[in-house]
């Protein structure tokens, strides 16, 4: 177990408030069986969660007299070890150890959230919503047919992965059953292309009328005299994950006695802007599938034509390609800023009261670089927690709403 000391809250005319201490426990488990291998201390730990992405953890396992009897070498084998981070009795992160290398008095590991497993899994049998393209028209996992609803396609891809020998790491997919999203897709994953399963899901999510997705981790409630168990659960959110600013009531402030923002960067980036996007699908030469989307409102308001070309390998359906292209245009039409904020973990809003996908109001009081101050409602797309040499610091990466 490791203890992290948060920042002191200092108010004018008062003594510093007692510093809360947070207890971290790092649980190293067998990836396939989830059997606990060892509870090991770690130092210099940072861990992150990404919206529709894969957060990472970095830290060092000390090889010392008190840890060597626990056999940290066998308990942290890359590629077959799951790692859970428990903070004050709540699992706040879970993933897979992928790399390990020598460091001063120990070994440094890098792990990635459980979704990273599906970056190492591929479709090796053609799967399709179109039964004319498959030889076994039964639904996955017994056959090759995919349900048309986008939520059920995610379920089918994971079921396909889990049905193979050695292919299940205990991810619960029950939350991917009814009710459906109500958005049907026409998709085919050809075996000869070996599509990556994580990318297939991410592409579905990124299309018009897409969704947010993740693998959640935590403890099950204690019940019937049975202790809690760890879980990892695949989920989708439609049309989006998280709360609006009005629903969350989250306000981060820099300046004044209630300041929670320690530092920030609020850049403006026109290089990522696009007012027209071309999406390229499958095909060669003049037969290549192409879709185009333009933001007429921005062009009419005086913005110049700024073009972007994006390739979508394996996309053969014109409707799907147009949806992906429309979504890329939407993202790039508002890609002028992606501000980051470093905030205290124990100043309101406290760490744990918000998650990726939530919207919050960020307020910067007047200061030399912003004489009139600045504020805006932003969506949290990444949360990184650093517990190094004392106080926890949270880095929030945000996107325009």
């Amino acid at each position: 177990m490791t203890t992290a000391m948060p920042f002191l809250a200092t108010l004018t005319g008062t003594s510093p408030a007692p510093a809360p201490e947070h207890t971290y426990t790092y649980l190293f488990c067998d990836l396939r069986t989830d059997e606990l291998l060892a509870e090991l201390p770690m130092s210099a730990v940072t861990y992150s969660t990404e919206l529709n992405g894969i957060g990472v953890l970095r830290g060092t396992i000390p090889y010392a007299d008190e840890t060597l009897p626990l056999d940290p070498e066998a308990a942290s084998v890359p590629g077959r070890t799951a790692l859970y981070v428990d903070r004050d009795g709540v699992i706040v992160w879970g993933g897979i150890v992928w790399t390990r290398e020598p460091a001063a008095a120990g070994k440094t590991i890098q792990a990635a959230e459980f979704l990273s497993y599906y970056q190492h899994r591929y479709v090796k049998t053609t799967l399709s919503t179109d039964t004319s393209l498959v030889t076994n028209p039964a639904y996955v996992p017994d056959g090759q047919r995919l349900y048309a609803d986008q939520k059920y396609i995610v379920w089918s891809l994971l079921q396909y992965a889990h049905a193979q020998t050695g292919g299940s790491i205990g991810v619960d997919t029950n939350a991917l059953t009814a009710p459906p999203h109500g958005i049907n897709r026409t998709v085919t994953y050809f075996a000869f292309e070996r599509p990556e399963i994580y990318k297939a899901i991410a592409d579905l999510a990124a299309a018009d009328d897409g969704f947010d997705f993740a693998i959640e981790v935590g403890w099950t409630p204690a019940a019937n005299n049975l202790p809690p168990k760890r879980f990892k659960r695949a989920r989708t959110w439609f049309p989006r994950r998280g709360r609006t600013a009005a629903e969350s009531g989250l306000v981060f402030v820099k300046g004044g006695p209630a300041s929670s923002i320690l530092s920030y960067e609020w850049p403006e980036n026109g290089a990522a802007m696009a007012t027209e996007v071309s999406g390229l699908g499958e095909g060669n030469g003049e037969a290549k599938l192409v879709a185009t989307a333009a933001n007429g409102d921005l062009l009419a308001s005086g913005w110049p034509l700024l073009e972007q070309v994006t390739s979508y390998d394996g996309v053969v359906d014109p409707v799907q390609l147009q949806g992906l292209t429309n979504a890329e245009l939407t993202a790039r039409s508002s890609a002028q800023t992606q501000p980051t904020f470093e905030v205290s973990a124990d100043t309101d809003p406290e760490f744990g009261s918000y998650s990726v996908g939530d919207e919050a109001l960020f307020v910067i009081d007047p200061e030399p670089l912003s004489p009139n101050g600045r504020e805006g409602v932003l969506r949290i797309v990444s949360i990184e927690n650093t517990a190094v040499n004392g106080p926890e610091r949270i880095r929030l990466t945000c996107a325009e709403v």
Side-chain angles (χ1 to χ4, degrees):
M1 292 186 293
T2 304
T3 299
M5 296 282 292
F7 288 93
L8 297 176
T10 304
L11 302 179
T12 303
T14 67
S15 299
E21 294 186 1
H22 298 289
T23 300
Y24 275 89
T25 305
Y26 302 97
L27 305 170
F28 291 78
C29 303
D30 183 88
L31 179 59
R32 289 178 60 184
T33 67
D34 209 48
E35 177 188 356
L36 180 64
L37 302 174
E39 178 185 314
L40 298 171
M42 292 187 68
S43 62
V45 175
T46 65
Y47 58 91
S48 65
T49 303
E50 310 284 335
L51 180 66
N52 300 336
I54 298 172
V56 298
L57 175 145
R58 297 177 181 86
T60 299
I61 303 171
Y63 279 41
D65 290 342
E66 63 271 21
T67 57
L68 289 177
L70 300 174
D71 199 357
E73 195 76 3
S76 61
V77 176
R80 66 165 301 172
T81 304
L83 171 58
Y84 298 90
V85 179
D86 181 296
R87 179 184 186 266
D88 297 338
V90 177
I91 293 180
V92 293
W93 194 91
I96 302 169
V97 177
W98 288 114
T99 67
R100 183 175 65 182
E101 59 186 40
K107 290 195 175 180
T108 295
I109 65 168
Q110 179 167 308
E113 289 182 300
F114 285 114
L115 277 172
S116 65
Y117 175 67
Y118 301 99
Q119 292 180 311
H120 299 262
R121 297 299 309 277
Y122 298 85
V123 176
K124 297 178 291 186
T125 301
T126 296
L127 306 177
S128 181
T129 53
D130 183 350
T131 54
S132 70
L133 298 176
V134 299
T135 56
N136 183 346
Y139 284 105
V140 172
D142 299 317
Q144 298 171 259
R145 185 179 180 183
L146 298 170
Y147 294 95
D149 189 88
Q150 62 183 5
K151 182 181 181 182
Y152 297 161
I153 293 173
V154 177
W155 178 89
S156 297
L157 289 169
L158 296 185
Q159 290 296 313
Y160 167 82
H162 299 165
Q164 299 175 54
T165 301
S168 175
I169 60 170
V171 174
D172 183 355
T173 59
N174 287 334
L176 298 177
T177 55
H181 288 170
I183 304 295
N184 288 347
R185 304 290 187 188
T186 301
V187 294
T188 300
Y189 303 107
F190 290 107
F192 64 82
E193 292 181 333
R194 291 297 197 265
E196 178 194 296
I197 289 178
Y198 169 76
K199 185 177 184 300
I201 294 171
D203 285 347
L204 273 177
D208 254 3
D209 294 320
F211 52 92
D212 294 332
F213 65 100
I215 293 178
E216 295 184 316
V217 293
W219 293 108
T220 62
N224 300 322
N225 295 320
L226 297 175
K229 291 185 177 182
R230 293 176 295 275
F231 70 79
K232 38 188 181 282
R233 178 186 303 141
R235 279 199 62 185
T236 61
W237 292 262
F238 179 77
R240 49 158 284 167
R241 180 182 185 178
R243 301 164 292 176
T244 66
E247 292 168 339
S248 73
L250 295 168
V251 181
F252 294 89
V253 178
K254 187 175 192 302
S259 180
S260 58
I261 299 174
L262 305 171
S263 63
Y264 72 96
E265 294 180 2
W266 205 322
E268 296 173 293
N269 180 12
M273 191 82 178
T275 53
E276 181 180 289
V277 173
S278 294
L280 307 181
E282 281 295 290
N284 297 302
E286 293 298 323
K288 193 171 189 67
L289 196 62
V290 178
T292 303
N295 191 320
D297 291 339
L298 286 180
L299 292 168
S301 68
W303 282 87
L305 179 62
L306 302 171
E307 297 172 306
Q308 170 69 25
V309 178
T310 303
S311 295
Y312 299 99
D313 296 336
V315 176
V316 297
D317 177 50
V319 175
Q320 182 188 9
L321 181 63
Q322 188 64 58
L324 290 166
T325 304
N326 293 346
E328 177 76 1
L329 176 67
T330 299
R332 289 188 173 273
S333 294
S334 59
Q336 292 175 280
T337 65
Q338 193 173 54
T340 58
F341 303 87
E342 187 174 85
V343 303
S344 169
D346 290 285
T347 302
D348 187 40
E350 295 183 358
F351 177 70
S353 67
Y354 46 84
S355 67
V356 291
D358 281 342
E359 294 177 7
L361 175 64
F362 291 82
V363 179
I364 308 299
D365 283 356
E367 56 184 15
L369 291 180
S370 184
N372 297 320
R374 187 169 188 176
E375 67 176 59
V377 172
L378 303 169
R379 192 180 188 201
I380 300 170
V381 296
S382 173
I383 301 173
E384 181 182 79
N385 187 316
T386 300
V388 180
N389 298 327
E392 286 183 296
R393 303 182 303 279
I394 311 300
R395 181 180 176 85
L396 304 177
T397 303
C398 300
E400 291 186 334
V401 176

